[in-house]
Structure formats: structure tokens, C-alpha cells
Amino acid sequence: MCRVLKIARAGYYAWLHEPESGRTIEDKRLLQLIRSSYDASYGIYGYRRITLDLKELGESCGPNRVLKIMKHNAVRGYKKHKSDGRGRPQIVPPNRLNREFIVNTPDTSWVTDITYIRTWQGWLYLAVILDLYSRKVIGWSMKSTLAKDIVLDALLIAVWRRRPSEPVIIHSDQGSQYSSGDWQKFCQKHNLIPQHEQTTCAVYCSCWDNAVAES
């Protein structure tokens, strides 16, 4: 058969004993780690963030390989969607909280904000989620950039720790991180009701509309 097909017998016997190549076996192993990172993020992590998770575990694979494995196995994170309404005014959810910072039950109203922390190595950014009932920090994330991942990671921790069974109001300012499509999708998927500070007084009153998180 090898003679008719013009292939080396050594290659045939190597395939016979190991039908899958070493790279294929390694890709299957990486796929398990990729799925673990993806599932832990509730499906919001893309290949770049998952690559960082793998590096934290000591893996040396690059983002292109992670992307290829994810595409081949239909593992898809949230994607940015270009707006089809150029020039349309921003749609801001209504302020249901309306500065009512005293609540009687936990996990009914959360507030969030980002602050800056100066270090000897440069600026760091801290995003926090607080439950208005207890005023405790229930989710947080610190990064060296203001990318939207910082607020998604903080919210992910809050959802994972509290696992609310009823809808929860999540109040924030009108920053781009809180207006992103990924933020809206995550809130919708986990029964959260996003809302922002008042549009008409965003410059003068935002610190009052979000006073608990600001302080």
C-alpha cells in the first residue's frame, strides 16, 4: 500500500502508533484551559484576555494560536459592534436610583465607579462595585489602563460572589466603559439593570448622583 501510494513506510508506522501530532495533542490540552477561562468570565473574555490568563498559568502560547483554537472550536467572546447610527444622540438609561442611597435589602442596588491611584511605577486604575445595603465592596479590579475590561472584571466578581436571584440596579457615571456594548450585554445576561447619572447635570451633579461610589 505504501509503495502504491508512494509514501514512506516509516511515516505510515509513525502515524499508526500516534495518529495525532504533538501539536494537535497540545492544542487539545490548551483548549481545556481556554474553555475554563472563558466559562469563568461568563463568556465575555476574548482571545487576548484569555492569552493573558494562560500566561499567568505559565503557558507560553501566543494570541494567534489561542485565536485559532477558539475559532476552530467555536469559542467566541463578546465583540465590538460598529454603530450604524452615526450622529444619533446617545441613549442613556433612566436614573431609577434617583439618589435613593438607603435600601432595605441586599443585592437590590449596586453602585460603581473608577478611581486613579498614583504609584512609583505610574498610574493605576481601580474599579469597584458596592452594595448600597451594606456599603461593602463586593467586586473590584485594578489595571494599568482604562480599557472596558476593568469594569467588566469588577462586575464579574460581584456577580460570582453574590449570585443575585432578582434584578439588581447597577448605577454608574456615563463613562465609555459603562456605555460599551459589552457592559450592556453582560448586564442583560445576568439580570442587571444598568443606569447612569442624570444627563442634564452630568457636569455639576455627577458626584451627587453617584455619591456613595465617589466617596
Side-chain angles (χ1 to χ4, degrees), residues 25-100:
I25 295 173
E26 178 65 8
D27 284 349
K28 287 186 175 181
R29 187 186 69 83
L30 290 174
L31 176 61
Q32 300 301 319
L33 299 177
I34 290 171
R35 289 191 184 278
S36 296
S37 175
Y38 179 81
D39 293 340
S41 72
Y42 292 93
I44 66 172
Y45 282 178
Y47 73 95
R48 294 184 181 89
R49 181 53 194 270
I50 291 178
T51 301
L52 294 177
D53 280 359
L54 294 181
K55 288 184 177 180
E56 291 179 359
L57 295 175
E59 302 293 338
S60 59
C61 59
N64 291 335
R65 187 175 185 181
V66 173
L67 176 61
K68 183 177 180 180
I69 294 174
M70 291 179 67
K71 281 186 174 181
H72 184 72
N73 294 276
V75 180
R76 299 182 179 89
Y78 281 164
K79 294 182 178 179
K80 287 184 178 180
H81 297 280
K82 294 183 179 179
S83 173
D84 59 354
R86 184 177 300 176
R88 294 179 185 175
Q90 181 184 13
I91 300 175
V92 179
N95 188 346
R96 297 181 177 87
L97 190 62
N98 198 25
R99 303 184 190 175
E100 293 293 336

Side-chain angles (χ1 to χ4, degrees), residues 60-168:
S60 59
C61 59
N64 291 335
R65 187 175 185 181
V66 173
L67 176 61
K68 183 177 180 180
I69 294 174
M70 291 179 67
K71 281 186 174 181
H72 184 72
N73 294 276
V75 180
R76 299 182 179 89
Y78 281 164
K79 294 182 178 179
K80 287 184 178 180
H81 297 280
K82 294 183 179 179
S83 173
D84 59 354
R86 184 177 300 176
R88 294 179 185 175
Q90 181 184 13
I91 300 175
V92 179
N95 188 346
R96 297 181 177 87
L97 190 62
N98 198 25
R99 303 184 190 175
E100 293 293 336
F101 300 134
I102 306 298
V103 297
N104 299 320
T105 55
D107 299 326
T108 56
S109 297
W110 296 348
V111 293
T112 179
D113 193 29
I114 303 174
T115 190
Y116 302 72
I117 300 175
R118 190 171 186 174
T119 73
W120 288 106
Q121 295 182 343
W123 287 97
L124 289 178
Y125 307 97
L126 173 68
V128 296
I129 311 287
L130 294 93
D131 187 346
L132 282 181
Y133 174 75
S134 63
R135 306 299 174 94
K136 290 183 178 180
V137 175
I138 58 176
W140 67 276
S141 176
M142 182 180 289
K143 298 184 184 297
S144 58
T145 68
L146 278 172
K148 62 186 176 182
D149 289 346
I150 189 172
V151 296
L152 291 173
D153 287 353
L155 188 57
L156 174 64
I157 292 175
V159 171
W160 180 81
R161 293 182 63 187
R162 305 307 287 263
R163 303 183 187 276
S165 57
E166 300 294 333
V168 179

Side-chain angles (χ1 to χ4, degrees), residues 185-214:
K185 289 180 182 179
F186 187 92
C187 290
Q188 182 180 8
K189 183 176 180 179
H190 297 284
N191 208 17
L192 304 175
I193 305 172
Q195 65 168 42
H196 299 310
E197 61 201 12
Q198 293 288 347
T199 308
T200 55
C201 64
V203 175
Y204 304 103
C205 308
S206 63
C207 59
W208 296 338
D209 285 344
N210 202 21
V212 177
E214 291 277 354

